[in-house]
Structures are given as structure tokens and as C-alpha cells.
Amino acid sequence: MRIKQQLLPFLLAGCLTTSVQSQDINSRAFQFAEHQTKLLLTETAAAKKELNKPKLLSPRTLDKNGKLVLVSSKDWCSGFFAGNLLFLYEYTGDKFWLEQSEPFVAGMEGEKTDGGTHDMGFKLYNSVGNAYRLTHQLKYKDDIVQAAKTLITRFNPVVGCIKSWDSRKEWKFPVIIDNMMNLELLFEATRLSGDSSFYKVAVTHANTTLKNHFRPDNSSYHVIDYDPETGKVLHKQTHQGFADSSAWARGQAWGLYGYTMCYRETHNKIYLQQAEKIAKYIFSNPQMPADLVPYWDYDAAKLSGQPRDASAAAIAASALYELSTYSKNAKSYRKEADKILTSLYNNYQAQADSARGFLLLHSTGHKPAHSEIDVPIIYADYYYLEALLRQRRIANREPVINTGGLLKN
Ligand code: GLY
């Protein structure tokens, strides 16, 4: 079989045991991502045709038989694939990727009025938000502001938080650490609309979470359940982690990313300090493997046969690049982030033309529910691409957060 010239670098990377150094991986990883994502586009179109369910929009993961799992725009993972396509446009400047993103972005717009979810940021900001950032089309601006209006209907001023889930009988007003990620949408909506109420909700949520979600060692609980009438904390528990008292790996990464982003938006040093404390917890954790890709829960790591969570590593890498631009510990954060990306590139990427076009293997979605264990998951790919973009921007001496425009190669 003849191998196309442009595929050689990552085919070799997948076969050779020698590690490729961080400074070399960036463009190779993007070459690989372009190739794989074309496959994922083809696989997605084929699966939609086969299933004939018009509501299915975008790829989420692979099932136990290796079949592509598609989700509708309602799903919390529905906006990531649009984001991936836009990241490829951002990196390459190739209009092909922008055009490919358009139906996936358009498919998300209707979600802006769904007040039944806290995942508005994951869904709308990562799809429509990226589209607005890169194209400045006015319709996207309106979508972002409407999505923020809908999201703050879930805010309870007595609790000081946005409610995460509605349908869990065991909890009255659950708030999960993941919810920090949805605040980025609110900050952006204030910038776009001039309405400070979104900003105020974001800051109040971040402050309440800071007060109640963290333990003395700076790890975080997954779920805090509040009394909606009094704001009192009723329960400190887990949903996706190993135990109520454990440190679920992705939750720690969401916290790191969330407080870094809150510092960017507010310049409140408390948030910067919290992000640094979380980084310390993660990267000085004795259960962190040498390749910096954690097991799915730091407190389950000692048990035998536990899966890793590549998504947690990708989220943390992206957060660390940003944190490095605000912190005295810039050098060590960049070193850790580079190390994560090198590990992901060398040992967690799928072989070219496999995994139906996903980029990273070995993520864990919901271990206690026996769901999505050691699989590719679309949000791992999203934060991998975002981290690679940030790595590249830092190397180019550009601001790590791109508020608009394409990457200068
Ligand atoms: N709820 C988002 C996650 O599973 O991380």
C-alpha cells in the first residue's frame, strides 16, 4: 500500500516507540487532527443516514462494539464537534473547516432557549461562541446573549449558584464542579450586551463554589446539594467519582480551568490563587502517573485495573497554558502542559484511520454507571485541540486567548 506523503509524520509517530518532543508535535498533531476529522465527518454522515433519525446531530463517542454514538443538540456533548471543526479553521485558515462547521453550529442554535439544563456553556459557547469569535456574525452574538438569559433563569440568589440538575430525587439543588465551565458564556454575554447581570451571576456562582466545593487539600467534591430556601449545604457527594470524599479527575480539571478563566474575566486574585492551589493538588498528587494522564479518580488510582481519563489531562493542559500567562509559576505550568500534550500525542492518539476519526483514546466518562470507560470522547478531542492552539500561540508570542482571528503559522 502506498502511503500519502503528508500522512507519514503521524503514521510514523503512531508506530515508533521513540517519543517526539513537545516542540515538534504541534503541527504534526494538527495534521493528524485534520486527517482524522475528515474521517469523523464521513463516519458521522454515514451513521446519520443509516440511523435515519434527523435529530441526531454530532458524534459523542464509540459504543462497546466500536459503533459511532451520535447525539442530538439536547445532549451536553453536542457542541464540541462544531468547536473542533472551528479550531481546525482557526489553525489552518482553510475555509473548508468553516464550511464543515456550519451545519453543526446551526444545529445548536435552538438550544439557546432550553432552560432545563446548566450545560449551556458547553453546548452554546463551544459551538456558537467559537463561531462568533472567529466570524463575528451578528446572529451568533444574539444567540450567545439569549443563551445566557436562559442560563441565569437557573440561578437562585439565596443559594448563590446556578442549579445543575433538575431530575435527581436525592438532591434538592445540586451544583456540580463542572458548572464552573458554563460561566464563560455569561462573561461573554456581558461583554456583548453590556448587561452586567450575567457577570454578577457568574461571580456569585464562582464565589459560592469556592466556599463550599473545596476541601482543605484543595481537591473538590463533585456535587454540593443546597437547600434552595435557605442556601444551607445539605450534602457533599459524588456522581461520577469513586466516592463522596474522593477526587474525581475530570472534576479537578474543570475546577482548574474554571477558576483560571474566572481570573481572566475578573482579575480577582482569589480566583488565580484557587487555580494555583488546584494545579498544586493535581500535579503534586502521588497518584498522578509519570505521563501526567490521570486515572479517572485520584482516590481509585491505587486499585488495580483502573482506566485513565485522557479528557482530564487535555482539559488541564489547556487550562495550564492560560494559567501560565498569569502566574509566577509560568515555567512549571508550561512544562507540565507540554508534557501532557507530548504524552497524549505519543501514547493516547488513535492510529490514523482508526477509531472512526476520533483523535484521543482512553477517556472515561462515567465509571460508576459503567458508561464510556476507556473510550474516545469528543470533549477530550476538543480540549486537546484547544490546548494545542494555546501551545502554538504561546510559541508565536501571541496572546494565549484568541479573541478573534486565525493563527499565524
Ligand atoms: N458533566 C460533564 C462531565 O462528565 O465531565
Side-chain angles (χ1 to χ4, degrees), residues 76 122 176 178 240 248 250 254 365 379:
W76 83 271
F122 282 126
I176 62 173
D178 325 25
Q240 278 155 275
W248 173 51
R250 197 162 55 256
W254 291 141
Y379 49 84

Side-chain angles (χ1 to χ4, degrees), residues 33-71:
E34 280 199 90
H35 178 80
Q36 282 293 93
T37 305
K38 283 179 186 158
L39 174 60
L40 189 49
L41 279 165
T42 307
E43 290 281 352
T44 300
K48 277 185 191 173
K49 208 167 161 194
E50 187 193 324
L51 294 165
N52 194 21
K53 287 190 180 149
K55 280 203 167 159
L56 292 178
L57 177 69
S58 53
R60 171 170 167 145
T61 185
L62 299 181
D63 72 12
K64 286 193 175 116
N65 302 314
K67 276 192 111 178
L68 193 59
V69 176
L70 297 179
V71 290

Side-chain angles (χ1 to χ4, degrees), residues 205-390:
H205 182 102
N207 291 343
T208 307
T209 299
L210 201 140
K211 192 165 102 203
N212 296 321
H213 257 86
F214 290 90
R215 309 184 180 107
D217 67 358
N218 296 305
S219 67
S220 54
Y221 292 95
H222 186 201
V223 187
I224 302 293
D225 182 34
Y226 294 93
D227 183 331
E229 315 291 333
T230 65
K232 194 171 156 252
V233 172
L234 299 175
H235 305 103
K236 297 188 172 197
Q237 293 185 295
T238 196
H239 180 61
Q240 278 155 275
F242 173 63
D244 290 342
S245 60
S246 75
W248 173 51
R250 197 162 55 256
Q252 312 315 303
W254 291 141
L256 175 63
Y257 193 117
Y259 281 99
T260 303
M261 175 272 295
C262 284
Y263 177 70
R264 178 213 310 157
E265 297 290 349
T266 63
H267 302 292
N268 183 343
K269 285 253 159 50
I270 301 277
Y271 300 149
L272 175 60
Q273 284 158 10
Q274 191 60 32
E276 292 184 312
K277 288 178 192 173
I278 300 169
K280 191 166 175 201
Y281 175 82
I282 293 176
F283 293 98
S284 62
N285 196 302
Q287 302 308 328
M288 175 60 95
D291 68 0
L292 301 188
V293 178
Y295 290 92
W296 68 284
D297 188 302
Y298 292 97
D299 295 283
K302 273 194 195 142
L303 307 173
S304 67
Q306 299 301 308
R308 302 288 186 102
D309 183 10
S311 77
I315 297 158
S318 189
L320 283 177
Y321 283 124
E322 179 172 14
L323 186 58
S324 77
T325 65
Y326 309 136
S327 166
K328 287 198 210 95
N329 300 324
K331 239 177 148 174
S332 67
Y333 292 150
R334 260 173 225 169
K335 212 169 140 195
E336 281 154 358
D338 285 345
K339 187 167 178 188
I340 292 172
L341 291 191
T342 303
S343 291
L344 294 176
Y345 178 82
N346 282 322
N347 298 316
Y348 292 78
Q349 274 189 181
Q351 292 290 320
D353 296 314
S354 75
R356 299 199 185 266
F358 283 95
L359 308 181
L360 294 180
L361 307 174
H362 309 307
S363 288
T364 297
H366 191 161
K367 177 85 168 40
H370 310 287
S371 164
E372 299 179 337
I373 299 170
D374 197 11
V375 289
I377 305 187
I378 198 69
Y379 49 84
D381 293 356
Y382 178 93
Y383 290 101
Y384 183 47
L385 291 176
E386 187 183 67
L388 286 162
L389 278 166
R390 289 178 175 191

Side-chain angles (χ1 to χ4, degrees), residues 108-126:
M108 294 308 297
E109 288 181 81
E111 292 301 308
K112 65 189 172 196
T113 50
D114 179 8
T117 176
H118 75 133
D119 287 321
M120 196 66 98
F122 282 126
K123 290 164 66 173
L124 265 288
Y125 193 72
N126 296 349

